Amino acid sequence: MPTVLIPPPYRGPTQGTGEVEVEGGDVLGSLEDVDRKFPGFLAQVVNEDGAVLPFVKLFKNGDQLDVAEALRTPVGGDDEIEVLAAIAGG
Amino acid sequence: MSGPSGDKLIYVDMTDQSVEIRDFPEEWKLLGGRGLSAKILLAECDPTCDALGPDNVLVMAPGVLAGTAAPTSGRLSVGGKSPLTGGIKEANTGGQPGQHLAKLGYRGIVVKGQPADADKRYAIEVNAEGVQVVAADDHKGKWNYALCMDLHGQYPKTASFITCGPAGEMQLTGASVATTDQDNRYPARHAARGGLGAVMGSKGLKYVAVDPGKASVRQAADREKFGELCKEYTKGYLAGPQMFKTGTSSVVPVANMLHTFPYKNRVEGQSPDASTLEGARINESFETRGGQMHNCMTGCIVKCSNIVHDAEGEYKTSALEFETLTLLGANCAVASWEDVADMDRLCDEVGLDTIETGGAIAVLMDAGQMEWGDADAMRKLIAEIPEGTDRGTAIGNGAVATGKFTGHHRVPEARGQAIPAWDPRPLKATGVCYCTSAMGADHTAGLIVNPGLAPDQFAWEAQKVQLLNAVCDTSGFCQFLQPSLDDIRAFFGALYGEEVTREAIHDQGWQCLEDEWEFNRKAGFTAADDKMADCLGQDAVGAEGAKVVFDVPDDIIQAVFKRMPAQEDLFTAKASG
């Protein structure tokens, strides 16, 4: 099954869980799957208009997805979807 | 060949301005930066001394890999007993001096003593011909930018500088040590935390000039392997997401979402002004005003530093960081990144830690002695600090001093140091780091941004990240390059042509933490000091229905001080700070 990899900063809603198996379909469907299991997760990735938040980057099997197409990207098999957000002090 | 050899340590006694060059001990070859500073301080500095007296020792040490071709590896550690916390302190900075010292074969400068005449100013000059202390009275009281402009005219173009602003000369305990960066040679990089600028000032040391001349890159014992490592690591980093290439200021919206973008002296975890403080606004300004991202030191591939211009297109400051936008911005209810940029420049000029200064001004505002969000008043206040006014002196001495000055009880701190942006309430494991690090509330000593972490993981994660960051700050790598212990030991091994095992690198990190804790124990710290300010255990932040305070039990906090068996992730986890 496809898997969504959750970065540490986004593990509040998932209560520490870092990997969630999903049904797949496309990236948005996969993220919605995670949100059904762990409510509050999707709002960290997608805004109210359904667009990826500007500070979030999405990867499929290690390749960064284009922002405009990311949510509609097909997901299946053993695909890994990774969510990343910059964290640093400075 | 056995790698870099013939290295030296510079000892300077400011009492008589004498210089002694000592051989760098062979057995210390894998000690640099923070680890070297801790080793020297524990052996040569009385932990009970007056931090601003002659017995304190100021260490300036590049990391082990500084001066080599390893990417983003030229960081400089500044260490000493902190006049702010009363404990040991290491503050880490970028810029060129770390690279330059290492290329000249100097693994550190150890400054002791104090001039009999407190009005005298001196400088240390380091170049290929040697080291000397010279008079610097002409530069007394100069702000950092004016000082460096003058020094650029006085020294060869190849020179870089470590400088002390007026706050350091006044021995204010929020004072920073500045270093000049690569592109514009401005004093824009700071070893900011813990008041080490005041230690530099207490020794009458206005600046250090390091001229590498034609000194070449330090060569590794196994040149081929070292070269391959540099190439592979750089290629891998550049092929990755490069999360910091738009600057640390781009973290603002994530931090705000996580309720760790504190507002009004941390009564709230989110700011209504996040959208006007975030890095995207700064980067948008590049198009119309100029300004850009750049690397602060030779060989940096992260390039997280922004150069910010004003509305007229003139240079204003660099780098405007997430922490500064938080503490001088949101935490003081300031809404505009441009106002924060002004204050960042002022703090760099005067030589002040922007975190401590922002924390102090927020306490002043919380006490009702300044209006929330009044950026004009803040600018005037920072500018009046060099004049020695009572209020300016309180701010320059940090958040706890400002709490005493105002009689205000609500001071978010740990070990006497203002809490950085990363808030210990939603990020409790980070709070455990603040309580247990010898450095106090310093996110660069241990940052864990994982709000879902289970409490039974706090102690291990806090020990792991503190150990990893201690080794990173010993290596000279920037934490933003995010090296793992496995990465660092591979570079160490190729540099000296020998295997550095996982056990050895684990030992090195643990020994650094132990040296620092031991210094603090000798300074008088006990378990009673391993705590967070009361207000953070009382005033909750977070989403409605899910508000949190810092409530980690003492047994979890104390568990961090006992060495735990290494788990696999100790060696593969990436540094962060």
Side-chain angles (χ1 to χ4, degrees), chain A residues 8-12 15-16 43-44 53 55 57 59 64 84-90, chain B residues 241-244 248 251 253-254 257-258 321-323 422 443 449-452 480 577:
Chain A
Y10 285 9
R11 291 179 192 168
Q15 297 167 10
Q44 299 182 135
L53 288 164
F55 49 84
K57 292 180 179 178
F59 295 76
Q64 188 171 341
L84 279 184
I87 291 296
Chain B
Q242 298 185 58
M243 299 304 285
F244 307 124
T248 61
V251 173
V254 184
M257 184 176 74
L258 297 175
E321 307 261 22
F322 164 66
E323 287 287 344
W422 302 104
H443 64 285
V449 186
N450 184 348
F480 294 163

Side-chain angles (χ1 to χ4, degrees), chain B residues 55-275:
Chain B
D55 294 333
N56 199 358
V57 177
L58 183 68
V59 180
M60 292 172 263
V64 173
L65 297 166
T68 72
T72 319
S73 66
R75 303 283 295 188
L76 180 77
S77 288
V78 180
K81 176 173 176 172
S82 165
L84 185 76
T85 68
I88 195 169
K89 192 70 199 171
E90 182 264 0
N92 199 274
T93 181
Q96 291 293 72
Q99 299 278 39
H100 289 172
L101 279 170
K103 285 180 180 175
L104 287 166
Y106 292 117
R107 297 291 291 268
I109 305 174
V110 183
V111 185
K112 297 184 173 183
Q114 201 164 59
D117 185 348
D119 286 334
K120 301 292 272 183
R121 296 290 179 272
Y122 297 94
I124 301 172
E125 296 178 340
V126 184
N127 55 40
E129 277 71 53
V131 182
Q132 62 176 344
V133 178
V134 298
D137 292 329
D138 289 351
H139 298 299
K140 184 178 175 183
K142 282 183 184 170
W143 291 25
N144 273 319
Y145 274 71
L147 171 66
C148 286
M149 287 290 285
D150 290 345
L151 295 180
H152 290 319
Q154 189 178 333
Y155 289 92
K157 284 185 178 175
T158 44
S160 60
F161 305 100
I162 304 167
T163 67
C164 174
E169 291 182 78
M170 296 166 72
Q171 301 179 30
L172 300 177
T173 57
S176 63
V177 174
T179 54
T180 49
D181 66 13
Q182 177 186 249
D183 289 342
N184 45 33
R185 306 168 77 212
Y186 290 140
R189 325 307 314 182
H190 288 253
R193 305 238 62 198
L196 293 171
V199 179
M200 188 169 175
S202 76
K203 298 194 176 299
L205 184 57
K206 183 63 179 170
Y207 68 91
V208 180
V210 189
D211 178 17
K214 293 180 179 174
S216 50
V217 170
R218 286 162 71 82
Q219 295 296 341
D222 191 338
R223 290 190 190 191
E224 189 177 342
K225 188 171 181 186
F226 197 83
E228 280 172 14
L229 278 172
C230 294
K231 197 172 167 184
E232 282 171 19
Y233 201 82
T234 300
K235 191 176 170 187
Y237 180 84
L238 296 177
Q242 298 185 58
M243 299 304 285
F244 307 124
K245 71 178 179 183
T246 52
T248 61
S249 55
S250 63
V251 173
V252 166
V254 184
N256 199 52
M257 184 176 74
L258 297 175
H259 296 271
T260 181
F261 191 53
Y263 184 62
K264 291 189 173 179
N265 201 27
R266 297 182 185 270
V267 295
E268 299 287 345
Q270 290 182 316
S271 165
D273 307 311
S275 65

